[in-house]
């Protein structure tokens, strides 16, 4: 089966500084992949390149066999991206925003109504969906944008720090939603600093540090790399120094 | 002192960076350009023979001229206070730290007042100093007069600024609520809208017309406005090598007194900020059925935003009121309507066209923003969505074209009611106005999508960049060039002798078809340019 996300030799520099370099990544369809790494590791840059917001300086990205250079529209149709700062319109209501997004992705009325109502209810925001986005908290804005993106039923969903700003109940709802979407066959790549979330729901995680993938695998594999008793210990070890490398099948 | 130093350090840090240079350039370029324009305008006015005669014959003409030179100062203060500081006063991102730090309770308001004063003084210097300096130079004033000029400008600006900022704080402290928020948003809309209109009328009125207006004001002996009276007296006396101690004293009392009053009101600021936040009440809105097609969805989104955002509707109302005022008072169109060379229907048409051009000029910048910058924060959504450049442009264009019907409707009504134009004349005007609207659309879409004016961020957002002012100037120039054939044709008709003049009624169908074709051609060319621009803006950075 073809990979849902295939990244080869990906690099992106800002001026003369490389944010990401030589990144190799393969994610299977329906996989829930967590991207971990300290601040400035290159997670957001990678996700933005995958989402088509940034052009890679080097390397290639293929999503469901398509790339942004040759088939941008076909690729965008199957892709959903939830950034850290959701691009909501202050003077539209949440429901109007979801309708706008659904129209941009040409989702039929019946599908958008069914999906959006289900998602608004699942995320617990159906009671505020008819208020202007201007008054929403950061968490609500994020949930509205997530609901909008999932209304388009993307084959690949990219999320940048999705749980930031959410209350514990919303984080639980988000995790349930991500698991459910993955069960439906949606490939999900998300970045997070919450190791517990990655441990709970990810099929595989990748640890990015200084623009390079230091290790990837299941949580159990990462823990067993150096005999660490937790993902946190493995994370701290792998991101501790600039030149640290580790041997083994799943390290880079 | 620490806050002041922090601002200065931030400014200095900015100067050391390349993007900081761009920011500084963006801040300084508009006042510099306007300062140059005001310098040219001032020198042309002072060279106007009738004004010179009036200057020599009247002893108080120096005061009138100085008052005219200082007249932009309170306008700048009102613009900065309502259009720029309205949100800053209650929503500045730094308020979180300023209000929680162990400072005097009015310190945050004072810091904002200092920032506002610096910006207002920069703009006031650009708009007032060139003419003041020329007046002093023409009067062969002593060096001390030049040294007093900055103080005079400060006296003309800072009190107005302190009072207008103080009013906003006091209003939010004592009468916070939905009505207060709406009132402030109306004032903000009026200020952000009124200032460019003021600049346009000042710059495009031309030196001879301004000189004549000054002579007229000299004749009726109106005297300087109370807001600039002290500064005017002080500088007018200084121009004649006199130190008017009474004026200096009253100016200083005004300056110090207004600042002291602001400091008193500043104590109310922390609670005013809380009240402002609490005064926001979410409204529940039901948007009805949303269109399925992307272009229609974009159009629907634009209209929903316009209808759900109070400021956007105010703007349309202000356009109608200002156009109605100009028509009812016969202000700009008097000479056109009073002429007798051309047929009455044509003069009425021309008068309505002038009102149309003023009304549409007031809205051009808004619609230019609608094409890209207003959606700057949401641009990542378009970048990641499968919408094509053509679809996005179609949706935006449909909205703008529909909203530009308003500047046609308002002068048409004005012409019918105040110029007594018959329905046929109004229809003829509408035909020419449609052609002009196509020209306006051409200007809006070619400049509004110009990537050179827009900065693309790494997260997909787009921002104004440091060339926004150049963009608005370019928009005005392109728009006026686009409708220049209309001006030119009317001018030629009005200046040819009766024997050489063609029959206007016979010429009308050809003129109308020609205007529509020119408009269509301009629109088609600009659409092609805008499509290319949108493709660039929708590509990954």
């Amino acid at each position: 089966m073809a990979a849902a996300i295939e990244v080869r030799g990906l690099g992106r520099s800002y001026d003369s500084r490389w944010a990401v370099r030589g990144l190799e990544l393969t994610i299977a369809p329906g996989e829930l992949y967590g991207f971990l790494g300290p601040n400035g590791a290159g997670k957001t840059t990678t996700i933005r390149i995958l989402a088509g917001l940034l052009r890679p300086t080097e390397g290639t990205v293929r999503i469901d066999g398509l790339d942004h250079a040759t088939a941008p529209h076909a690729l965008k149709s199957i892709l959903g991206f939830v950034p850290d700062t959701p691009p909501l319109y202050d003077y539209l209501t949440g429901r109007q925003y979801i309708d706008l997004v659904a129209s941009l992705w040409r989702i039929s009325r019946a599908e958008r109504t069914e999906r959006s109502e289900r998602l608004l209810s699942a995320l617990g925001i159906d009671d505020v969906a008819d208020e202007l986005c201007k008054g929403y908290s950061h968490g609500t804005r994020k949930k509205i944008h997530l609901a909008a993106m999932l209304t388009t039923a993307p084959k690949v969903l990219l999320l940048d720090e999705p749980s930031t700003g959410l209350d514990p109940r919303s984080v639980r709802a988000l995790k349930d939603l991500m698991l459910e979407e993955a069960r439906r066959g949606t490939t999900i790549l998300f970045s997070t600093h919450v190791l517990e979330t990655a441990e709970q729901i990810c099929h595989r995680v990748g640890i990015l540090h200084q623009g390079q993938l230091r290790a990837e695998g299941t949580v159990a594999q990462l823990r067993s790399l150096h005999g660490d008793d937790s993902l946190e210990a493995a994370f701290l070890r792998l991101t501790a120094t600039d030149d640290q490398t580790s041997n083994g099948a799943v390290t880079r | 002192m620490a806050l002041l130093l922090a601002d200065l350090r931030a400014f200095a840090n900015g100067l050391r960076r390349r993007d900081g240079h761009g920011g500084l350039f963006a801040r300084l370029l508009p006042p510099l350009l306007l300062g140059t324009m005001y310098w040219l305008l001032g020198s042309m006015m002072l060279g106007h023979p009738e004004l010179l005669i009036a200057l020599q014959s009247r002893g108080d003409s120096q005061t009138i001229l100085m008052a005219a030179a200082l007249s932009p100062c309170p306008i700048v203060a009102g613009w900065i206070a309502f259009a720029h500081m309205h949100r800053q006063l209650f929503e500045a991102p730094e308020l979180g730290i300023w209000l929680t730090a162990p400072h005097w309770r009015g310190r945050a308001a004072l810091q904002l007042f200092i920032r506002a004063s610096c910006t207002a003084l920069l703009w006031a210097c650009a708009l007032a100093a060139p003419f003041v300096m020329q007046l002093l130079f023409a009067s062969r004033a002593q060096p001390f007069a030049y040294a007093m000029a900055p103080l005079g400008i400060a006296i003309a600006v800072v009190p107005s600024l302190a009072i207008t900022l103080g009013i906003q704080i006091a209003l939010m402290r004592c009468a916070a609520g939905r009505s207060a928020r709406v009132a402030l948003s109306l004032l903000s809309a009026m200020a952000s809208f009124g200032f460019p209109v003021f600049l346009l009328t000042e710059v495009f009125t031309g030196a001879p017309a301004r000189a004549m207006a000054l002579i007229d004001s000299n004749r009726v002996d109106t005297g300087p406005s109370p807001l600039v009276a002290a500064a005017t007296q002080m500088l007018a006396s200084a121009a004649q090598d006199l130190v008017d101690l009474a004026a200096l004293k009253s100016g200083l009392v005004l300056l110090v007194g207004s600042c002291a009053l602001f400091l008193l009101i500043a104590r109310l600021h922390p609670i005013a900020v809380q009240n402002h936040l609490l005064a926001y009440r979410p409204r529940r809105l039901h948007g009805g059925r949303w269109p399925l097609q992307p272009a229609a969805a974009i159009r629907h989104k634009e209209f929903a935003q316009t209808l759900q955002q109070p400021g956007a509707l105010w703007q349309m109302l202000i356009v109608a009121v200002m156009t109605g005022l100009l028509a009812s008072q016969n202000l700009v169109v008097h000479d056109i309507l009073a002429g007798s060379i051309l047929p009455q229907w044509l003069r009425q048409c021309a008068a309505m066209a002038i009102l149309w051009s003023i009304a549409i000029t007031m809205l051009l910048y808004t619609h230019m923003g609608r094409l890209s910058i207003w959606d700057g924060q949401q641009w990542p959504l378009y970048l990641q969505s499968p919408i094509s450049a053509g679809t996005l442009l179609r949706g935006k264009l449909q909205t703008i074209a529909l909203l530009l019907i308003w500047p046609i409707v308002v002068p048409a009504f004005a012409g019918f009611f105040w110029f007594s134009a018959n329905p046929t004349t109004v229809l003829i005007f509408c035909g020419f106005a449609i052609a002009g609207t196509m020209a306006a659309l051409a200007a809006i879409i070619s400049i509004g999508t110009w990537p050179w004016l827009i900065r693309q961020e790494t997260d997909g957002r787009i921002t104004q960049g440091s060339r926004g002012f150049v963009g608005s100037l370019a928009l005005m120039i392109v728009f006026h060039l686009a409708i220049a054939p209309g001006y030119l044709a009317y001018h030629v008709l009005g200046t040819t002798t009766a024997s050489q003049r063609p029959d206007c009624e016979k010429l009308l169908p050809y003129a109308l078809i020609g205007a529509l074709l020119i408009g269509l051609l301009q629109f088609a060319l600009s659409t092609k340019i805008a499509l290319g621009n949108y493709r660039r803006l929708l590509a990954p950075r």
Side-chain angles (χ1 to χ4, degrees):
Chain A
M1 195 173 2
I5 298 175
E6 195 174 7
V7 174
R8 294 285 165 262
L10 184 72
R12 167 74 200 202
S13 66
Y14 298 104
D15 298 323
S16 57
R17 192 178 62 81
W18 287 91
V20 181
R21 191 150 203 198
L23 184 69
E24 303 278 335
L25 196 64
T26 305
I27 301 174
E31 192 173 5
L32 219 164
Y33 190 98
F35 233 2
L36 308 178
N39 295 327
K43 305 184 294 294
T44 300
T45 298
T46 307
I47 289 179
R48 283 178 186 166
I49 292 172
L50 294 176
L53 303 187
L54 283 176
R55 211 187 298 270
T57 309
E58 59 184 30
T60 57
V61 168
R62 293 185 79 79
I63 296 174
D64 204 34
L66 304 165
D67 69 57
H68 282 292
T70 55
H73 291 291
L75 178 47
K76 285 172 176 181
S77 304
I78 59 160
L79 201 61
F81 170 48
V82 181
D84 185 34
T85 311
L88 266 58
Y89 282 94
D90 277 355
Y91 288 96
L92 291 185
T93 66
R95 210 180 292 276
Q96 287 175 334
Y97 180 74
I98 293 172
D99 276 331
L100 170 69
V101 171
S103 296
L104 296 181
W105 265 261
R106 295 176 183 269
I107 305 299
S108 73
R109 189 161 278 127
E111 282 177 314
R112 77 172 63 170
T113 308
E114 183 274 316
R115 287 178 198 159
S116 63
E117 291 309 318
R118 175 174 58 81
L119 290 160
L120 287 172
S121 172
L123 289 165
I125 43 172
D126 43 354
D127 56 331
V128 294
D130 289 316
E131 291 173 11
L132 291 180
C133 297
K134 186 178 163 61
Y136 289 161
S137 66
H138 180 67
T140 307
R141 293 174 81 89
K142 232 168 175 169
K143 285 189 266 184
I144 288 284
H145 186 67
L146 177 66
M149 275 298 133
L150 288 175
T151 301
T152 69
K155 281 177 91 171
V156 175
L157 182 64
L158 309 167
L159 302 106
D160 191 10
E161 312 276 0
S163 57
T164 312
L166 299 187
D167 60 75
R169 188 177 295 276
S170 301
V171 173
R172 181 70 260 171
L174 172 75
K175 286 192 277 196
D176 290 344
L177 205 56
M178 285 164 74
L179 285 168
E180 189 190 325
E181 288 296 322
R183 271 196 296 273
R184 286 170 187 235
T186 308
T187 307
I188 300 176
L189 167 66
F190 74 103
S191 68
T192 184
H193 290 295
V194 187
L195 302 181
E196 187 195 0
T197 301
E199 272 182 308
Q200 285 172 353
I201 65 170
C202 288
H203 299 141
R204 278 194 308 150
V205 295
I207 296 179
L208 200 65
H209 184 44
Q210 293 177 337
Q212 292 182 325
L213 197 63
R214 291 299 173 98
E216 73 168 351
T218 62
V219 171
Q221 283 172 331
L222 289 181
R223 273 201 306 243
S224 64
L225 258 181
H226 296 278
D228 295 311
D229 57 353
S230 67
L231 181 60
E232 185 187 29
F235 176 85
L236 292 175
R237 184 189 297 280
L238 286 163
T239 58
T241 56
D242 289 357
D243 55 355
Q244 179 166 359
T245 53
S246 42
N247 50 19
V250 288
T251 57
R252 309 256 168 170
Chain B
M1 199 63 194
L3 297 187
L4 204 58
L5 276 175
D7 270 6
L8 288 172
R9 280 196 188 116
F11 181 71
N13 288 344
L15 293 183
R16 292 196 198 109
R17 293 168 55 92
R18 204 172 140 208
D19 51 355
H21 295 163
L24 184 69
F25 174 74
R27 282 184 187 193
L28 291 182
L29 181 70
L32 271 176
L33 275 177
L34 281 168
T36 312
M37 285 162 101
Y38 267 78
W39 177 271
L40 293 172
L41 207 62
S43 64
M44 281 193 281
M45 276 176 68
L46 288 177
H48 196 267
E50 287 185 58
L51 189 64
L52 288 176
I53 293 165
L55 262 172
Q56 286 156 4
S57 64
R58 295 288 301 265
D60 61 348
S61 55
Q62 191 69 260
T63 311
I64 300 288
L65 284 172
M66 198 58 84
L70 292 171
S71 64
C73 294
I75 293 168
V76 164
W79 170 58
I80 296 287
F82 288 114
H84 283 233
M85 298 308 293
H86 161 57
R87 288 181 81 94
Q88 287 282 309
L89 266 181
F90 307 110
E91 295 172 21
E94 300 95 330
L95 281 177
I97 179 83
W98 289 350
L99 291 175
T100 50
H103 285 306
W104 167 63
R105 58 189 300 167
R107 187 66 187 85
L110 177 62
Q111 189 64 18
L112 290 165
F113 176 56
I114 292 168
R115 281 185 183 180
S117 299
C118 292
T119 315
L121 282 169
L122 174 73
W123 279 88
C125 283
L127 303 192
F131 199 19
V132 169
M133 291 298 166
Q134 284 185 343
L135 285 174
L136 296 178
F137 188 70
S139 315
R140 295 190 174 84
Q142 294 297 311
F144 87 90
Y146 292 95
M148 286 184 85
L151 179 64
I153 290 173
I155 288 172
V157 174
V158 177
S160 309
L161 188 69
I163 290 163
T164 40
L165 290 177
I167 287 171
Q168 292 183 65
I169 294 172
L171 185 69
M172 264 303 149
R173 170 63 183 84
C174 306
R178 191 166 173 77
S179 339
R181 277 182 76 117
V182 170
L184 285 180
S185 76
L186 171 63
L187 284 169
S188 172
M190 284 171 70
S192 45
F193 202 58
F195 186 66
V197 173
F198 161 77
L199 286 180
L200 279 174
T201 48
E202 283 271 298
V203 173
F204 288 105
T205 301
R210 286 192 77 203
M212 293 307 291
L214 272 181
I215 295 163
D216 284 346
S217 70
N218 199 358
R219 202 172 290 147
V220 294
D221 203 18
T222 47
S225 140
L227 294 168
V228 295
T232 301
Q233 288 301 335
M234 199 178 85
L235 292 181
S237 304
Q240 290 159 0
D241 301 337
L242 298 169
V243 179
D244 188 336
L245 281 175
L248 180 64
K249 193 175 154 191
S250 60
L252 287 174
V253 165
L254 190 64
L255 184 66
V256 175
S258 60
C259 290
L261 183 67
F262 180 82
L263 290 180
L264 277 177
I265 297 172
R267 296 170 60 84
L268 309 176
H269 184 240
I271 295 176
V273 172
Q274 287 175 32
N275 288 351
H276 185 266
L277 291 173
L278 293 172
Y280 178 78
R281 291 276 181 280
R283 284 184 298 158
R284 296 186 80 81
L285 298 159
H286 296 280
R289 282 166 75 84
W290 201 272
L292 288 176
Q293 293 305 314
I298 296 286
R299 189 187 65 226
H300 197 84
K301 185 271 294 180
E302 294 289 342
F303 278 111
Q305 279 185 296
T306 305
L307 294 171
Q308 289 163 197
Q309 188 174 356
L313 283 178
W314 288 127
Q315 209 175 39
M316 293 179 78
L317 191 69
I318 293 166
V319 168
V321 170
M322 285 183 78
T323 312
L325 269 175
L326 289 176
S328 63
Q329 302 298 312
N330 222 352
L331 281 177
V332 183
V333 291
H334 176 264
D335 289 349
I336 295 170
L337 288 169
S340 58
I341 297 169
L342 295 170
Q344 192 192 28
W345 66 266
L346 186 54
R347 282 183 278 123
Q348 287 170 335
C349 244
M352 283 186 273
I354 290 291
L355 291 183
W356 166 84
S357 71
I358 293 171
I360 206 163
T361 300
M362 288 192 257
L363 293 169
L364 279 181
Y365 192 69
T366 300
H367 292 308
M368 183 172 95
R370 196 183 292 283
L371 280 166
S372 54
I373 293 298
W374 278 15
D375 284 345
Q377 298 295 316
Q378 293 78 24
W379 205 254
L381 179 68
Y382 296 127
L383 265 173
Q384 67 177 101
S385 77
I387 192 171
S388 70
T391 309
L392 181 59
L393 184 63
R394 203 162 60 244
K396 297 273 185 185
L397 268 177
Q398 286 171 0
T399 316
I400 298 172
L402 284 169
L403 288 171
L404 286 186
I405 293 174
W406 185 243
I408 302 178
V409 170
V410 174
F413 268 100
F416 185 74
F417 287 109
W418 283 296
F419 307 157
S420 308
N422 64 39
T424 315
T425 308
V426 171
L427 279 178
I428 294 168
F429 155 72
C430 288
F432 281 111
I434 288 169
T437 302
M438 284 195 278
L441 276 171
I444 291 171
I445 61 173
S446 54
I447 304 295
T449 59
W450 193 7
W452 186 75
L453 299 173
I454 295 162
R455 194 171 66 213
Q456 286 178 284
E457 307 288 348
T458 53
D459 58 1
R461 286 180 302 120
I462 54 172
T463 51
Q464 179 89 72
S466 55
R467 296 160 180 161
F469 184 72
V470 180
S472 53
L473 271 185
L475 176 68
M476 286 299 153
I477 292 166
V478 171
F479 169 63
H480 283 281
L481 283 176
I483 59 167
Y487 284 129
L488 201 65
Y490 187 79
H491 179 73
V492 169
L493 276 178
T495 49
T496 47
T497 55
S499 58
Q500 289 177 319
R501 190 177 313 126
D503 184 343
C504 293
E505 276 168 23
K506 277 188 184 168
L507 198 65
L508 176 66
Y510 301 105
L512 199 51
I513 291 168
L516 286 167
L517 282 176
I518 292 173
L520 201 61
L521 182 70
Q522 291 171 338
F523 177 68
L525 280 174
S526 300
T527 305
K528 201 171 158 45
I529 294 169
L531 262 177
N533 291 344
Y534 259 166
R535 283 196 192 104
R536 281 177 63 186
L537 290 174
L538 287 174
R541 183 175 176 270

